[in-house]
C-alpha cells in the first residue's frame, strides 16, 4: 500500500472476493478505480463480481472488454461465457477478422455458435441468461459458495421435441445438499416469465 496504493487496493479487492466479503470487495474496488491509471481495476472487478455470482454486473464489464477493437478477446472470452454472454462472445468472434485478429486455438467455435444460434432463435438475450444465473447466485451466496468453485456448463437439452438451454452447476456437495439447493432455486423462480422458464433451466448437481 505504501509503494503503490492502486496495486494495494487491487490486491485487497482480490483477497476480499476470495473471502466472500462483498462489502470489502466493493470498497477496495472503488479505491482502486480512483487511483489506478492502467485499467487493471476493471478486470479485477469483473472477475470478483463473477466469483461472487453477480453475473449481470460482471457481464456488463466483460462484454465491453471482449470487443475486437479492445484486443483482449483471447484471455477474457471465457469470463464472458461464464456470465452467459454467448451471443456477445459469438458476435465479437465474428468481428475479429475485420480487426486483423484471430481467436486462440482453445476457442470452441462450434459449441458457442450452437448456443448463440439457439438463444437468437428463441429470443433469449445475454441479459436474460445473466438474470437467470443471478437467481442461482443468490442461492450460492446464501450458502457461502464463494468464490465460484464451478462455472455453469450449458447444454441444449431436447425432450419430446422441445429444446431448452440447460445450465448445470457441478458442486462439491452431497445429493441431499444438491436437492436442497435446487428447491431453494425453484422458490426464487416464481417471478420469472413463464416463456423464459420454458427455454432456460438451471440445476445444481453433484460434481463427478
Amino acid at each position: 500500500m505504501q509503494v503503490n496504493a492502486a496495486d494495494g487496493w487491487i490486491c485487497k479487492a482480490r483477497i476480499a472476493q476470495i473471502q466472500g466479503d462483498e462489502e470489502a470487495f466493493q470498497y477496495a474496488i472503488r479505491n482502486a478505480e480512483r487511483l489506478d491509471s492502467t485499467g487493471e481495476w476493471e478486470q479485477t472487478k469483473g472477475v470478483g463480481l463473477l466469483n461472487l455470482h453477480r453475473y449481470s454486473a460482471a457481464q456488463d464489464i466483460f462484454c465491453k472488454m471482449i470487443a475486437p477493437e479492445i484486443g483482449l478477446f483471447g484471455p477474457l472470452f471465457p469470463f464472458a461465457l461464464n456470465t452467459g454472454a454467448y451471443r456477445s462472445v459469438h458476435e465479437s468472434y465474428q468481428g475479429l477478422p475485420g480487426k486483423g485478429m484471430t481467436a486462440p486455438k482453445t476457442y470452441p467455435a462450434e459449441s458457442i455458435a450452437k448456443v448463440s444460434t439457439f438463444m437468437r432463435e428463441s429470443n433469449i438475450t445475454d441479459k436474460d441468461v445473466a438474470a437467470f444465473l443471478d437467481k442461482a447466485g443468490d442461492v450460492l451466496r446464501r450458502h457461502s459458495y464463494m468464490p465460484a468453485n464451478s462455472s455453469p456448463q450449458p447444454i441444449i437439452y431436447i425432450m419430446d421435441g422441445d429444446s431448452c438451454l440447460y445450465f448445470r452447476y457441478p458442486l462439491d456437495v452431497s445429493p441431499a445438499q444438491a436437492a436442497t439447493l435446487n428447491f431453494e432455486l425453484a422458490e426464487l423462480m416464481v417471478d420469472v416469465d413463464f416463456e423464459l422458464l420454458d427455454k432456460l433451466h438451471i440445476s445444481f448437481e453433484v460434481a463427478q
Side-chain angles (χ1 to χ4, degrees):
M1 292 294 290
Q2 293 176 346
V3 174
N4 187 318
D7 284 352
W9 283 113
I10 288 172
C11 183
K12 282 179 175 289
R14 291 171 177 167
I15 292 171
Q17 60 90 17
I18 290 172
Q19 295 172 327
D21 189 339
E22 187 168 4
E23 184 177 351
F25 167 76
Q26 294 288 3
Y27 180 74
I29 280 294
R30 287 195 298 270
N31 284 294
E33 180 181 4
R34 178 171 54 86
L35 298 169
D36 179 40
S37 60
T38 68
E40 185 178 355
W41 70 270
E42 190 168 24
Q43 185 172 332
T44 298
K45 181 178 181 180
V47 173
L49 288 169
L50 186 58
N51 283 342
L52 291 165
H53 311 296
R54 298 289 185 185
Y55 297 98
S56 292
Q59 186 178 97
D60 290 341
I61 293 173
F62 287 117
C63 283
K64 178 178 67 175
M65 297 182 77
I66 62 169
E69 59 271 18
I70 302 297
L72 295 173
F73 181 86
L76 296 186
F77 82 83
F79 296 102
L81 290 179
N82 285 342
T83 72
Y86 279 81
R87 293 179 64 172
S88 294
V89 169
H90 183 58
E91 182 179 334
S92 292
Y93 168 73
Q94 292 179 311
L96 291 176
K99 299 295 181 180
M101 295 180 285
T102 58
K105 293 181 179 180
T106 55
Y107 182 78
E110 184 177 348
S111 60
I112 291 175
K114 184 177 181 181
V115 173
S116 176
T117 299
F118 175 82
M119 289 173 61
R120 185 181 68 253
E121 292 177 349
S122 302
N123 295 316
I124 299 172
T125 68
D126 290 342
K127 288 187 178 297
D128 288 334
V129 175
F132 217 65
L133 296 178
D134 282 340
K135 300 287 189 181
D138 290 342
V139 176
L140 292 169
R141 284 192 304 278
R142 182 185 300 169
H143 293 272
S144 298
Y145 284 106
M146 298 178 290
N149 54 359
S150 66
S151 299
Q153 305 296 320
I155 61 172
I156 296 175
Y157 185 72
I158 302 174
M159 183 174 66
D160 298 330
D162 294 324
S163 302
C164 73
L165 188 58
Y166 179 28
F167 286 88
R168 302 175 298 172
Y169 275 89
L171 299 174
D172 186 18
V173 297
S174 68
Q177 287 173 314
T180 297
L181 294 174
N182 284 319
F183 181 77
E184 292 180 15
L185 180 60
E187 290 182 322
L188 296 179
M189 293 294 182
V190 294
D191 61 344
V192 177
D193 182 85
F194 182 78
E195 291 187 6
L196 195 59
L197 281 175
D198 194 43
K199 291 295 183 179
L200 287 174
H201 184 68
I202 305 175
S203 71
F204 299 109
E205 300 180 358
V206 180
Q208 300 298 319

PDB file of all heavy atoms in Angstrom, residues 91-107:
ATOM      1  N   GLU A  91     -20.590 -12.853 -31.439  1.00  0.00           N
ATOM      2  CA  GLU A  91     -20.542 -11.652 -32.269  1.00  0.00           C
ATOM      3  C   GLU A  91     -19.131 -11.066 -32.298  1.00  0.00           C
ATOM      4  O   GLU A  91     -18.633 -10.664 -33.365  1.00  0.00           O
ATOM      5  CB  GLU A  91     -21.534 -10.614 -31.732  1.00  0.00           C
ATOM      6  CG  GLU A  91     -21.601  -9.336 -32.553  1.00  0.00           C
ATOM      7  CD  GLU A  91     -22.608  -8.353 -32.006  1.00  0.00           C
ATOM      8  OE1 GLU A  91     -23.574  -8.791 -31.334  1.00  0.00           O
ATOM      9  OE2 GLU A  91     -22.447  -7.137 -32.254  1.00  0.00           O
ATOM     10  N   SER A  92     -18.474 -11.009 -31.141  1.00  0.00           N
ATOM     11  CA  SER A  92     -17.103 -10.497 -31.100  1.00  0.00           C
ATOM     12  C   SER A  92     -16.157 -11.397 -31.883  1.00  0.00           C
ATOM     13  O   SER A  92     -15.254 -10.920 -32.585  1.00  0.00           O
ATOM     14  CB  SER A  92     -16.631 -10.368 -29.644  1.00  0.00           C
ATOM     15  OG  SER A  92     -17.346  -9.352 -28.966  1.00  0.00           O
ATOM     16  N   TYR A  93     -16.348 -12.704 -31.770  1.00  0.00           N
ATOM     17  CA  TYR A  93     -15.532 -13.662 -32.517  1.00  0.00           C
ATOM     18  C   TYR A  93     -15.654 -13.416 -34.020  1.00  0.00           C
ATOM     19  O   TYR A  93     -14.652 -13.426 -34.751  1.00  0.00           O
ATOM     20  CB  TYR A  93     -15.975 -15.078 -32.166  1.00  0.00           C
ATOM     21  CG  TYR A  93     -15.431 -16.156 -33.069  1.00  0.00           C
ATOM     22  CD1 TYR A  93     -14.096 -16.544 -32.989  1.00  0.00           C
ATOM     23  CD2 TYR A  93     -16.258 -16.787 -33.999  1.00  0.00           C
ATOM     24  CE1 TYR A  93     -13.592 -17.545 -33.817  1.00  0.00           C
ATOM     25  CE2 TYR A  93     -15.764 -17.783 -34.834  1.00  0.00           C
ATOM     26  CZ  TYR A  93     -14.437 -18.156 -34.734  1.00  0.00           C
ATOM     27  OH  TYR A  93     -13.941 -19.138 -35.559  1.00  0.00           O
ATOM     28  N   GLN A  94     -16.876 -13.183 -34.473  1.00  0.00           N
ATOM     29  CA  GLN A  94     -17.081 -12.938 -35.900  1.00  0.00           C
ATOM     30  C   GLN A  94     -16.449 -11.623 -36.343  1.00  0.00           C
ATOM     31  O   GLN A  94     -16.130 -11.458 -37.536  1.00  0.00           O
ATOM     32  CB  GLN A  94     -18.574 -12.936 -36.216  1.00  0.00           C
ATOM     33  CG  GLN A  94     -19.235 -14.303 -36.075  1.00  0.00           C
ATOM     34  CD  GLN A  94     -20.717 -14.271 -36.382  1.00  0.00           C
ATOM     35  OE1 GLN A  94     -21.453 -13.432 -35.871  1.00  0.00           O
ATOM     36  NE2 GLN A  94     -21.158 -15.173 -37.241  1.00  0.00           N
ATOM     37  N   GLY A  95     -16.268 -10.687 -35.418  1.00  0.00           N
ATOM     38  CA  GLY A  95     -15.681  -9.396 -35.757  1.00  0.00           C
ATOM     39  C   GLY A  95     -14.163  -9.362 -35.713  1.00  0.00           C
ATOM     40  O   GLY A  95     -13.552  -8.368 -36.118  1.00  0.00           O
ATOM     41  N   LEU A  96     -13.538 -10.439 -35.223  1.00  0.00           N
ATOM     42  CA  LEU A  96     -12.071 -10.457 -35.102  1.00  0.00           C
ATOM     43  C   LEU A  96     -11.345 -10.317 -36.443  1.00  0.00           C
ATOM     44  O   LEU A  96     -10.382  -9.547 -36.545  1.00  0.00           O
ATOM     45  CB  LEU A  96     -11.622 -11.734 -34.393  1.00  0.00           C
ATOM     46  CG  LEU A  96     -11.964 -11.853 -32.905  1.00  0.00           C
ATOM     47  CD1 LEU A  96     -11.533 -13.222 -32.377  1.00  0.00           C
ATOM     48  CD2 LEU A  96     -11.295 -10.745 -32.096  1.00  0.00           C
ATOM     49  N   PRO A  97     -11.754 -11.035 -37.507  1.00  0.00           N
ATOM     50  CA  PRO A  97     -11.024 -10.910 -38.779  1.00  0.00           C
ATOM     51  C   PRO A  97     -10.987  -9.482 -39.311  1.00  0.00           C
ATOM     52  O   PRO A  97      -9.983  -9.060 -39.891  1.00  0.00           O
ATOM     53  CB  PRO A  97     -11.805 -11.837 -39.723  1.00  0.00           C
ATOM     54  CG  PRO A  97     -12.423 -12.850 -38.816  1.00  0.00           C
ATOM     55  CD  PRO A  97     -12.798 -12.075 -37.584  1.00  0.00           C
ATOM     56  N   GLY A  98     -12.057  -8.740 -39.110  1.00  0.00           N
ATOM     57  CA  GLY A  98     -12.095  -7.360 -39.576  1.00  0.00           C
ATOM     58  C   GLY A  98     -11.086  -6.472 -38.873  1.00  0.00           C
ATOM     59  O   GLY A  98     -10.757  -5.381 -39.372  1.00  0.00           O
ATOM     60  N   LYS A  99     -10.605  -6.910 -37.708  1.00  0.00           N
ATOM     61  CA  LYS A  99      -9.585  -6.163 -36.966  1.00  0.00           C
ATOM     62  C   LYS A  99      -8.202  -6.801 -37.110  1.00  0.00           C
ATOM     63  O   LYS A  99      -7.265  -6.427 -36.408  1.00  0.00           O
ATOM     64  CB  LYS A  99      -9.963  -6.101 -35.473  1.00  0.00           C
ATOM     65  CG  LYS A  99     -11.285  -5.409 -35.199  1.00  0.00           C
ATOM     66  CD  LYS A  99     -11.245  -3.932 -35.571  1.00  0.00           C
ATOM     67  CE  LYS A  99     -12.563  -3.254 -35.257  1.00  0.00           C
ATOM     68  NZ  LYS A  99     -12.546  -1.810 -35.611  1.00  0.00           N
ATOM     69  N   GLY A 100      -8.098  -7.757 -38.048  1.00  0.00           N
ATOM     70  CA  GLY A 100      -6.820  -8.416 -38.273  1.00  0.00           C
ATOM     71  C   GLY A 100      -6.418  -9.358 -37.160  1.00  0.00           C
ATOM     72  O   GLY A 100      -5.217  -9.601 -36.958  1.00  0.00           O
ATOM     73  N   MET A 101      -7.396  -9.917 -36.431  1.00  0.00           N
ATOM     74  CA  MET A 101      -7.099 -10.798 -35.302  1.00  0.00           C
ATOM     75  C   MET A 101      -7.777 -12.148 -35.479  1.00  0.00           C
ATOM     76  O   MET A 101      -8.714 -12.292 -36.267  1.00  0.00           O
ATOM     77  CB  MET A 101      -7.557 -10.147 -33.994  1.00  0.00           C
ATOM     78  CG  MET A 101      -6.805  -8.882 -33.631  1.00  0.00           C
ATOM     79  SD  MET A 101      -7.396  -8.149 -32.082  1.00  0.00           S
ATOM     80  CE  MET A 101      -8.941  -7.428 -32.639  1.00  0.00           C
ATOM     81  N   THR A 102      -7.304 -13.119 -34.757  1.00  0.00           N
ATOM     82  CA  THR A 102      -7.909 -14.444 -34.744  1.00  0.00           C
ATOM     83  C   THR A 102      -8.123 -14.878 -33.299  1.00  0.00           C
ATOM     84  O   THR A 102      -7.458 -14.388 -32.386  1.00  0.00           O
ATOM     85  CB  THR A 102      -7.018 -15.487 -35.452  1.00  0.00           C
ATOM     86  OG1 THR A 102      -5.744 -15.519 -34.793  1.00  0.00           O
ATOM     87  CG2 THR A 102      -6.840 -15.147 -36.919  1.00  0.00           C
ATOM     88  N   ALA A 103      -9.039 -15.791 -33.108  1.00  0.00           N
ATOM     89  CA  ALA A 103      -9.295 -16.323 -31.771  1.00  0.00           C
ATOM     90  C   ALA A 103      -8.221 -17.349 -31.421  1.00  0.00           C
ATOM     91  O   ALA A 103      -7.598 -17.936 -32.310  1.00  0.00           O
ATOM     92  CB  ALA A 103     -10.675 -16.975 -31.721  1.00  0.00           C
ATOM     93  N   PRO A 104      -7.973 -17.580 -30.132  1.00  0.00           N
ATOM     94  CA  PRO A 104      -6.997 -18.605 -29.741  1.00  0.00           C
ATOM     95  C   PRO A 104      -7.475 -19.991 -30.165  1.00  0.00           C
ATOM     96  O   PRO A 104      -8.671 -20.223 -30.387  1.00  0.00           O
ATOM     97  CB  PRO A 104      -6.939 -18.464 -28.219  1.00  0.00           C
ATOM     98  CG  PRO A 104      -8.233 -17.825 -27.840  1.00  0.00           C
ATOM     99  CD  PRO A 104      -8.580 -16.905 -28.969  1.00  0.00           C
ATOM    100  N   LYS A 105      -6.537 -20.920 -30.269  1.00  0.00           N
ATOM    101  CA  LYS A 105      -6.875 -22.277 -30.707  1.00  0.00           C
ATOM    102  C   LYS A 105      -7.827 -22.973 -29.736  1.00  0.00           C
ATOM    103  O   LYS A 105      -8.510 -23.932 -30.117  1.00  0.00           O
ATOM    104  CB  LYS A 105      -5.597 -23.097 -30.876  1.00  0.00           C
ATOM    105  CG  LYS A 105      -4.711 -22.610 -32.014  1.00  0.00           C
ATOM    106  CD  LYS A 105      -3.466 -23.482 -32.153  1.00  0.00           C
ATOM    107  CE  LYS A 105      -2.601 -22.994 -33.306  1.00  0.00           C
ATOM    108  NZ  LYS A 105      -1.371 -23.837 -33.478  1.00  0.00           N
ATOM    109  N   THR A 106      -7.864 -22.506 -28.498  1.00  0.00           N
ATOM    110  CA  THR A 106      -8.732 -23.127 -27.499  1.00  0.00           C
ATOM    111  C   THR A 106     -10.186 -22.668 -27.632  1.00  0.00           C
ATOM    112  O   THR A 106     -11.055 -23.186 -26.917  1.00  0.00           O
ATOM    113  CB  THR A 106      -8.248 -22.778 -26.078  1.00  0.00           C
ATOM    114  OG1 THR A 106      -8.167 -21.345 -25.945  1.00  0.00           O
ATOM    115  CG2 THR A 106      -6.879 -23.384 -25.819  1.00  0.00           C
ATOM    116  N   TYR A 107     -10.451 -21.736 -28.525  1.00  0.00           N
ATOM    117  CA  TYR A 107     -11.812 -21.206 -28.658  1.00  0.00           C
ATOM    118  C   TYR A 107     -12.742 -22.268 -29.245  1.00  0.00           C
ATOM    119  O   TYR A 107     -12.526 -22.740 -30.371  1.00  0.00           O
ATOM    120  CB  TYR A 107     -11.811 -19.966 -29.552  1.00  0.00           C
ATOM    121  CG  TYR A 107     -13.178 -19.328 -29.714  1.00  0.00           C
ATOM    122  CD1 TYR A 107     -13.711 -18.538 -28.703  1.00  0.00           C
ATOM    123  CD2 TYR A 107     -13.932 -19.536 -30.857  1.00  0.00           C
ATOM    124  CE1 TYR A 107     -14.956 -17.959 -28.834  1.00  0.00           C
ATOM    125  CE2 TYR A 107     -15.189 -18.961 -31.001  1.00  0.00           C
ATOM    126  CZ  TYR A 107     -15.695 -18.175 -29.989  1.00  0.00           C
ATOM    127  OH  TYR A 107     -16.937 -17.606 -30.110  1.00  0.00           O
TER     128      TYR A 107
END
